[in-house]
Amino acid sequence: DAGVTQSPTHLIKTRGQQVTLRCSPKSGHDTVSWYQQALGQGPQFIFQYYEEEERQRGNFPDRFSGHQFPNYSSELNVNALLLGDSALYLCASSLAGTNTGELFFGEGSRLTVL
Amino acid sequence: GENVEQHPSTLSVQEGDSAVIKCTYSDSASNYFPWYKQELGKGPQLIIDIRSNVGEKKDQRIAVTLNKTAKHFSLHITETQPEDSAVYFCAARKGYSTLTFGKGTMLLVSP
């Protein structure tokens, strides 16, 4: 049973560029959440996708956008990259309708913005 | 929104000792409190969780306690081992909302 998979694992971009990160949820899960984890900090919620729609959003600017596909996989897009966007981006999957359902995290995509 | 405070930020213990990490939350409506362990270069992994209708839960060497009145919950690790060394995060959630995480505790267990 494959867990949550993310790609790429590491990438380096320069300020102003755009980046796309990808996530495949754990088998059987239909909800994908994205988190940003800055060095030495806890994960911060970006947004959550269910049924191909953004259902909840954290306090992140519109430069952060996402998409969910019919197979439940998801993408996170960040435009006009800033130095402060450097972080580990975590994808987590869960099953909708379970208010205490466990979040399964991937290994993350580490983004460095120069 | 919910705010989760976690202490201490770092914790060093000798192998075999106990370790305790404490968290407080602000939203009295929160009803789910998981703890995650994050090893270097990996994503967070759930180690134990507790719901608001339970005061304590144990799983082998790990236990979590919840005090709803005081709005705080704690992780207890007994007989610590070097492989317990990692960053531990507490989190809180209300209903179907998202998890709010603490800032983490780096636990170092020395042989």
Side-chain angles (χ1 to χ4, degrees):
Chain A
D1 177 20
V4 179
T5 59
Q6 293 187 242
S7 63
T9 55
H10 296 83
L11 68 167
I12 299 174
K13 294 286 187 178
T14 57
R15 283 178 296 176
Q17 285 189 312
Q18 179 264 344
V19 67
T20 297
L21 308 177
R22 296 175 177 81
C23 171
S24 292
K26 177 179 170 63
S27 178
H29 283 184
D30 55 10
T31 302
V32 173
S33 301
W34 287 92
Y35 287 79
Q36 179 195 67
Q37 187 177 22
L39 199 62
Q41 301 293 317
Q44 296 288 316
F45 174 70
I46 303 175
F47 43 53
Q48 181 186 79
Y49 276 83
Y50 170 65
E51 292 187 333
E52 302 180 48
E53 291 187 6
E54 182 183 294
R55 297 292 180 169
Q56 298 187 63
R57 190 180 181 91
N59 188 27
F60 279 79
D62 293 344
R63 297 187 298 109
F64 290 77
S65 63
H67 189 78
Q68 185 179 35
F69 300 93
N71 66 353
Y72 308 120
S73 67
S74 177
E75 288 183 348
L76 164 65
N77 301 291
V78 187
N79 295 321
L81 286 167
L82 304 174
L83 296 179
D85 294 331
S86 295
L88 179 68
Y89 288 86
L90 295 164
C91 171
S93 73
S94 57
L95 186 61
T98 55
N99 63 351
T100 56
E102 177 180 349
L103 273 186
F104 287 82
F105 282 88
E107 302 283 78
S109 294
R110 182 162 298 281
L111 170 65
T112 302
V113 182
L114 302 177
Chain B
E2 175 68 276
N3 182 53
V4 177
E5 300 284 341
Q6 183 172 347
H7 300 279
S9 56
T10 58
L11 180 58
S12 294
V13 300
Q14 292 291 317
E15 182 177 1
D17 288 348
S18 294
V20 180
I21 302 170
K22 298 181 179 181
C23 290
T24 60
Y25 60 98
S26 61
D27 191 340
S28 58
S30 289
N31 60 359
Y32 177 63
F33 307 93
W35 286 86
Y36 284 84
K37 176 183 181 182
Q38 187 173 28
E39 297 177 333
L40 193 62
K42 296 190 174 183
Q45 180 180 15
L46 180 73
I47 56 172
I48 194 168
D49 57 11
I50 191 168
R51 304 179 186 186
S52 59
N53 60 347
V54 176
E56 183 176 5
K57 184 177 179 180
K58 292 184 179 180
D59 182 5
Q60 300 181 357
R61 296 186 296 109
I62 295 174
V64 58
T65 59
L66 172 65
N67 184 326
K68 288 189 295 182
T69 302
K71 291 189 286 187
H72 68 71
F73 55 114
S74 301
L75 177 70
H76 304 252
I77 305 175
T78 59
E79 302 174 15
T80 54
Q81 302 167 3
E83 52 265 39
D84 293 330
S85 296
V87 179
Y88 291 80
F89 292 97
C90 63
R93 180 166 73 193
K94 175 178 64 178
Y96 293 94
S97 68
T98 62
L99 285 175
T100 299
F101 285 83
K103 291 189 175 182
T105 296
M106 180 177 290
L107 174 63
L108 177 60
V109 181
S110 303

